[in-house]
Structure formats: structure tokens, C-alpha cells
Amino acid sequence: MKFDGTTLHKYTKEKKVGEGTYAVVYVGKQEFSHRQVAIKEIKTGLFKDGLDMSAIREVKYLKELRHNNVIELVDVYMSPDKNLNLVLEYLPCDLEVLIKDTSVVFKSSDIKSWLLMTLRGLHHCHRNFILHRDLKPNNLLLSPDGELKLADFGLARAFGSPNEDLTPKVVTRWYRAPELLFGAKHYTGAVDIWAVGIIFAELMLRIPYLPGKDDVDQLDVTFKALGTPTEQIWPNVSSLPNYDALKVYPLPSRQELRNRFSAATDKALDLMIMMTQLDPSRRFDTTRCLQDDFFLEQPLATSPKDLPTKSSGGDEKRRKTNA
Amino acid sequence: MSDTEALKIFSRQYVSNEMVDILVATTNSVIQIKNAPQQDSTKLVSLRKFICRLIEHSNVQTPTLMTALVYLNRLRGVLPGNAVGMGTTRHRIFLASLIISAKTLNDSSPLNRHWTKYTDGLLTNKDVNLAERELISLLRWNLTVPEKELVVVLHPFLVRIKNDLRKKQEAENRQKSEYYRMSNFQSNNSLSSTKSSIFSSTSSLRSSPSSYHNLVESAPRTPLKEKSIPAMNYHGHGYSYKSASDILSLGPAPRLRAN
């Protein structure tokens, strides 16, 4: 891998495929290999402040993390107009696209497979002391051969000590853990687990599980579904900066959850419950999740190559049979 | 004690003059400077003053400074030996290392326009941005700091921490053995008193724990030690650190990022 100016002309940008607040994404090719790549060009609107912090972190962490379930950083270069370009492996689909496409049928083994790959990628992050902090279906990309890969490390950071302050303003609202909603400045990998638990629920429901309209509503929606945290179930919760128990909702009964997730087996429900514990210290970590009986229960996870997928541009679905 | 433990202790220390010394010396060793004309060098603030002012304004913590130190060391290895800079080159190099370190480690880091302000007019926003870009390219975007590299760079500090702790441990051990010797002496005394006074067995029973208590009270306290032990063992989980910058990303983030 070369990270210098001489790689300048080694890539061609062919088509703009996406635009975010801080970057434009193109599909392109690595010239010498003809490999298809995604090129994320960082906007320099805030040029006054130099290199974008998110971009620096994304490069740093993706260089550290090499894993089948984490997007591969191929190269970094500065274009002649001084813009920063991240060359990433090209992944044509993401989980959000699939969840929204009602013509695609999810089998329970498919959901298990996506959850498993998400947890493997996340486990790799956490064991390298990196928090992702922006997990959502839209950031779980799918390769043509069905592999799921964690992407968008722009909010990621290293963790390691209880002394440091972390910003609670992370994670897209619907996937934000209760400790973040309460403004905690010290949190752990449990915030990522929460997000995965909510994604797990969304895969089963095929609609967002906790779609808060704004930050205040998010608290209400979250606690309506999962109960309001109290000192009893989460010691010291009331000392968090934005703790607020205006409305105290009871914890949902097993039966209520069963009704909501009618297709889930007991083991699936158990795992989801442990990933969405209100008290972060009671939430499962990635190791415990990966060892869960749910993954040993029949039907086993679909092998990646047999998973449904589609490319975000066209609409060719890949699963041939739904048998 | 291992280097890892010493690093953890070191990373919690306040920024000291010695840290500034090593930052100045390392920055000076990165590149030589062509002697500037007299009137220019009088205007130029010394590197040490410059660094102190940046630390003061940004309230940057030890871990961030020490990561910058690693980048400075790397840069020395990258630049050709005969490279020559101008009056402010070293200032630029130092600031760029600090900015990149802060951006990679902390959630709330000063923005480049703030850093520019902290230079007190020595550098423009454009200068600062350019230096940042050049440094990150020279480092080839290799920003991860492995523990090994930190241990090498911080060797003098770590040796001292390890020595201090060893001495403290030894003093503690001496004190402990002294304490046991005395408490044995005491309990032997009270035991013999139990035997002698058959009628007042309860009172003597009560007396032996109370004498024990007195001894504990009178034993000299070592608060430093008590503080340092939980700090050392805080990371109770079974992981080992892959990247030492993870350890170093400590310290309260000084200011909010102004958006």
C-alpha cells in the first residue's frame, strides 16, 4: 500500500454515487488493476480548520483494522485541488436498502447471518480498543459475495481509560443508547452493542424499531418500548447529566416483546434483550453475544454467498430461489 | 513493574517542565536551521516559549503531547539529514505534530483557526494548514502509535517511575514486616492475659481486638501508595493493548469543539 502523491493518477472517478455532509463518494477504478473502488472525496469547505478530523480518524482506524467484516481502505491521496481522497473497497449494497425493499424476503437464518457478521466486525473493533459510534443499517455495507462490512469510521475513537471525556453527541438518533441520550461523558463499547441490538430488532420488524422524531422524543420512544431506567434497575442512572424520568414506563413483559417480535424464537428474543439492557454494565459484550446459543440454534446462519442482496443502482436481486 | 503499567501512570501525570524539555530537544533535533538575519531572530519567539504558550492556551494533556513527541521522532527519521529549515520551521513542525495528535486522540480538539490564534501572529491559518498537510504526508498517514515506540521515546520517564515505585514498594514491605512483628508481640501479650484472668475472659477478648485497632491507627499511613494501586490495576479486563495511543488517549478533553 502506498500513501503518497505518486498514486495521484492511479484512479479514475467514474460516477458520483453519494453525497454526505462532509464527503462525495464516487465509483471508480484503480487503473493498474482495473479493480472497482469507491473514492470518498472529503469536502474542504471548512478549509480554515485544515484536515477534517473525521477523515483523519477514518484513515487511522481503517489502517489499524483489517478484518473480513470491516471495509478495506485501499489508499489515501490528495488530488491536485488539495482535496483528500480515501480509496475504499467498493461495496454496492447496504442493509438499509435491503430492509426497505419489501420485495426481498428475509429468512430468520439470513438475519442471523447479518447479525453474526456485524458482531464479528464489531468484536474486532472493540478488541482493538476502537469504538465505532455510528452503527446503523446504512453503515453496514454488503459486498457482491454477501459479506457484511462495517463502514464509516468518521466518528470512531480509541477508548481505554475511565479518565477521559467522550462526547455523548454520537450515533444516529434511532440507534443511540440510553446512556448517550442522558449525556454520559464516559461510556464503553456497550453503546455499539445497543445499536446492534436495535438493528437486530429492525431486521426482524422491517421497520425502524425506535424512530424518535427528535432528541426528546427519542427518550420517550425508547423508554416506551423498553421501560424507563430507574435507580433500581440501573444504579446511579439519575446522576447522569440529562437524566429525566418525567414519564415512567414499566419494563416490557416477555409477552409484550413476544407479541411485537412474533417471528422471533425465544433464543433470538433473549439475545436481543441482553443487547438492549438499559444499564450498559448489564448489556452483553461482543464476546458474550458471539457465544450466544442463538447462533447454535437451528436454522444456522445463512452462508454469505446465499444471502439476498441487490446493487443500489439497479434492482437485480441476487437470490435465485427462496427455498 | 512492566512498561505498560509505567506508561499508564505516566499518562496520568500533569504536563511538566521536563516534558517540555524533551519536546524542545526533540523538535530541535528534527531539522537544522539556517541562521536568520539578526532583526528576524529578535522577533522570533523561542521554541520553548512557543511550546509553553500552545500548551497553556490549548490545555493539552500529557497523552496528546507524548503522541506528538512520537510523530516528531518519526519525522526525524523521514527527513533527509541535510535538510535545512528557516526561522519558523521548527515551530511549524511542532504545531503540526500537536494538531494531528490532538485530532486523532480527542473528541474535542481546538480547531486550526484556534491553533493559529495561539501562535500569537507568528503563523497564519494558511501556514498552519499547510504544515499539517505536509506532516501527515511525510508520515504517510501512519498515525498509529504502538506501545513499543512509546516505551522507547519515553524511556527516561518510565525508568524513573519504575524506580520510584520499587522504592515505595520496598518501604512498604519494611513497614509491613515491622507491623506484623509488633502485632504478634501485642497479641501474645493479650493471650497471656486471657490465661491469667479466668473470670474476665470477655473483657480480655474485647481488649485484644481493640489493641489491634490501636496499632492500625498508629501505623503511619501511606496515602500515595493507596492511590496508585487502584490506578495501576484499573484495566482489569483481559485484553492487552495493541496500540499504545489507546492508552494515551486519556485526560479530560479541555474544551468544547466550537462548531
Side-chain angles (χ1 to χ4, degrees):
Chain A
M1 203 162 39
K2 271 191 193 153
F3 285 89
D4 59 33
T6 62
T7 57
L8 207 61
H9 299 297
K10 272 167 51 185
Y11 304 92
T12 49
K13 288 176 184 163
E14 283 159 10
K15 200 175 102 198
K16 191 159 142 182
V17 289
E19 182 155 9
T21 44
Y22 95 109
V24 184
V25 184
Y26 300 89
V27 188
K29 275 213 174 72
Q30 189 171 34
E31 282 189 351
F32 77 92
S33 66
H34 297 288
R35 177 185 178 183
Q36 203 169 35
V37 290
I39 301 173
K40 190 168 175 179
E41 184 171 341
I42 312 297
K43 291 179 186 170
T44 43
L46 295 166
F47 189 63
K48 261 185 133 175
D49 294 314
L51 295 168
D52 187 86
M53 186 160 84
S54 308
I56 293 181
R57 288 183 180 200
E58 184 149 30
V59 172
K60 178 173 186 264
Y61 295 132
L62 288 180
K63 286 187 90 178
E64 278 179 50
L65 295 168
R66 293 276 156 182
H67 189 272
N68 202 27
N69 299 116
V70 174
I71 192 170
E72 181 199 346
L73 178 72
V74 179
D75 201 353
V76 182
Y77 69 93
M78 307 243 195
S79 43
D81 53 4
K82 291 280 184 192
N83 276 354
L84 178 61
N85 293 266
L86 313 191
V87 183
L88 298 155
E89 73 179 301
Y90 178 59
L91 300 164
C93 188
D94 65 64
L95 261 194
E96 189 188 16
V97 169
L98 279 189
I99 288 171
K100 282 186 174 161
D101 184 344
T102 45
S103 70
V104 183
V105 177
F106 291 180
K107 294 188 291 183
S108 63
S109 57
D110 298 344
I111 295 175
K112 193 175 288 190
S113 181
W114 286 318
L115 181 66
L116 187 58
M117 290 189 281
T118 306
L119 285 168
R120 282 180 181 150
L122 186 60
H123 181 67
H124 188 66
C125 297
H126 286 182
R127 68 193 209 91
N128 285 294
F129 292 92
I130 294 167
L131 300 176
H132 185 285
R133 304 200 299 183
D134 197 16
L135 291 171
K136 53 182 172 181
N138 182 239
N139 282 341
L140 302 176
L141 306 190
L142 300 168
S143 76
D145 54 1
E147 293 285 352
L148 179 149
K149 289 162 196 265
L150 271 53
D152 201 343
F153 281 70
L155 278 179
R157 70 158 286 158
F159 66 103
S161 160
N163 281 8
E164 64 201 305
D165 271 9
L166 285 76
T167 172
K169 290 180 182 159
V170 289
V171 189
T172 304
R173 191 188 308 123
W174 298 348
Y175 308 93
R176 211 176 280 160
E179 61 269 34
L180 298 176
L181 296 173
F182 287 148
K185 289 198 184 74
H186 303 279
Y187 50 83
T188 62
V191 301
D192 287 332
I193 292 289
W194 173 277
V196 177
I198 303 305
I199 294 167
F200 183 22
E202 185 169 338
L203 284 167
M204 296 193 276
L205 297 171
R206 295 297 290 268
I207 49 158
Y209 182 34
L210 306 172
K213 286 190 276 292
D214 50 55
D215 289 0
V216 178
D217 189 45
Q218 190 62 43
L219 283 165
D220 198 59
V221 170
T222 303
F223 300 147
K224 209 179 265 174
L226 294 162
T228 305
T230 56
E231 281 291 323
Q232 221 163 11
I233 57 163
W234 179 355
N236 297 324
V237 63
S238 58
S239 56
L240 289 174
N242 310 331
Y243 178 72
D244 176 3
L246 282 179
K247 270 192 196 151
V248 178
Y249 297 103
L251 294 175
S253 71
R254 180 97 189 167
Q255 193 54 47
E256 280 171 288
L257 289 173
R258 229 180 241 143
N259 294 344
R260 182 92 202 252
F261 299 92
S262 48
T265 64
D266 272 329
K267 287 204 161 63
L269 219 48
D270 284 341
L271 179 57
M272 194 194 76
I273 289 169
M274 289 319 293
M275 294 174 88
T276 53
Q277 286 292 301
L278 295 165
D279 179 352
S281 68
R282 291 190 209 201
R283 234 169 274 155
F284 275 2
D285 62 8
T286 51
T287 309
R288 186 61 194 76
C289 288
L290 285 166
Q291 290 168 339
D292 198 78
D293 283 349
F294 171 64
F295 294 111
L296 302 174
E297 183 185 48
Q298 292 291 340
L300 295 178
T302 311
S303 91
K305 64 178 191 336
D306 297 324
L307 284 167
T309 181
K310 71 182 228 170
S311 77
S312 46
D315 56 355
E316 346 97 53
K317 267 148 244 160
R318 227 213 29 228
R319 173 130 74 195
K320 302 105 204 166
T321 54
N322 263 340
Chain B
M1 187 177 54
S2 72
D3 288 326
T4 310
E5 286 166 316
L7 263 180
K8 269 184 223 168
I9 293 170
F10 177 71
S11 69
R12 283 170 169 75
Q13 290 179 354
Y14 288 113
V15 178
S16 67
N17 278 328
E18 280 169 294
M19 294 183 200
V20 176
D21 290 342
I22 197 169
L23 286 166
V24 173
T26 307
T27 311
N28 281 333
S29 73
V30 170
I31 191 167
Q32 8 170 357
I33 299 287
K34 209 163 70 183
N35 272 341
Q38 274 306 320
Q39 72 265 41
D40 227 44
S41 56
T42 46
K43 242 193 338 192
L44 189 62
V45 60
S46 80
L47 185 60
R48 169 174 266 281
K49 239 189 189 153
F50 179 76
I51 290 176
C52 288
R53 200 153 58 200
L54 288 176
I55 293 172
E56 209 174 294
H57 278 297
S58 65
N59 190 23
V60 70
Q61 305 292 306
T62 303
T64 313
L65 278 177
M66 295 305 115
T67 304
L69 181 63
V70 170
Y71 295 157
L72 289 168
N73 253 294
R74 279 190 197 168
L75 181 63
R76 184 175 48 196
V78 169
L79 288 179
N82 57 1
V84 179
M86 48 179 211
T88 57
T89 301
R90 287 170 175 165
H91 301 66
R92 288 162 202 256
I93 287 174
F94 176 80
L95 179 56
S97 315
L98 189 56
I99 290 176
I100 293 173
S101 163
K103 280 187 182 176
T104 55
L105 291 181
N106 305 325
D107 273 354
S108 41
S109 162
L111 301 170
N112 283 20
R113 70 181 98 127
H114 302 138
W115 287 114
T116 306
K117 229 182 281 164
Y118 304 156
T119 70
D120 265 358
L122 184 71
L123 302 173
T124 65
N125 198 203
K126 218 170 150 189
D127 293 332
V128 173
N129 291 343
L130 186 66
E132 181 191 24
R133 255 161 204 274
E134 283 183 350
L135 178 65
I136 212 163
S137 295
L138 283 165
L139 296 176
R140 298 187 159 227
W141 287 85
N142 287 321
L143 306 177
T144 302
V145 177
E147 186 178 311
K148 251 197 253 161
E149 203 171 341
L150 266 180
V151 168
V152 171
V153 171
L154 301 177
H155 182 73
F157 295 107
L158 300 184
V159 167
R160 193 173 331 131
I161 289 173
K162 286 201 261 189
N163 282 341
D164 286 354
L165 265 144
R166 200 182 314 120
K167 272 182 214 145
K168 224 179 279 168
Q169 187 77 49
E170 282 164 8
E172 180 110 335
N173 287 345
R174 268 198 303 279
Q175 223 168 61
K176 251 189 214 156
S177 53
E178 184 80 354
Y179 164 76
Y180 282 126
R181 208 162 48 81
M182 283 174 67
S183 73
N184 280 340
F185 174 72
Q186 281 279 341
S187 59
N188 283 344
N189 272 0
S190 59
L191 249 174
S192 59
S193 74
T194 323
K195 276 178 198 157
S196 61
S197 57
I198 300 160
F199 297 106
S200 60
S201 62
T202 45
S203 74
S204 68
L205 260 175
R206 205 180 297 133
S207 83
S208 75
S210 76
S211 65
Y212 172 85
H213 183 73
N214 287 339
L215 246 177
V216 172
E217 285 298 290
S218 62
R221 294 262 162 166
T222 52
L224 260 177
K225 178 70 184 169
E226 274 164 19
K227 256 187 222 158
S228 67
I229 282 197
M232 280 161 55
N233 294 335
Y234 209 101
H235 298 272
H237 40 65
Y239 298 120
S240 65
Y241 284 95
K242 177 191 166 231
S243 124
S245 66
D246 294 333
I247 303 175
L248 283 189
S249 61
L250 322 161
R255 60 189 57 225
L256 287 169
R257 189 178 180 189
N259 280 317

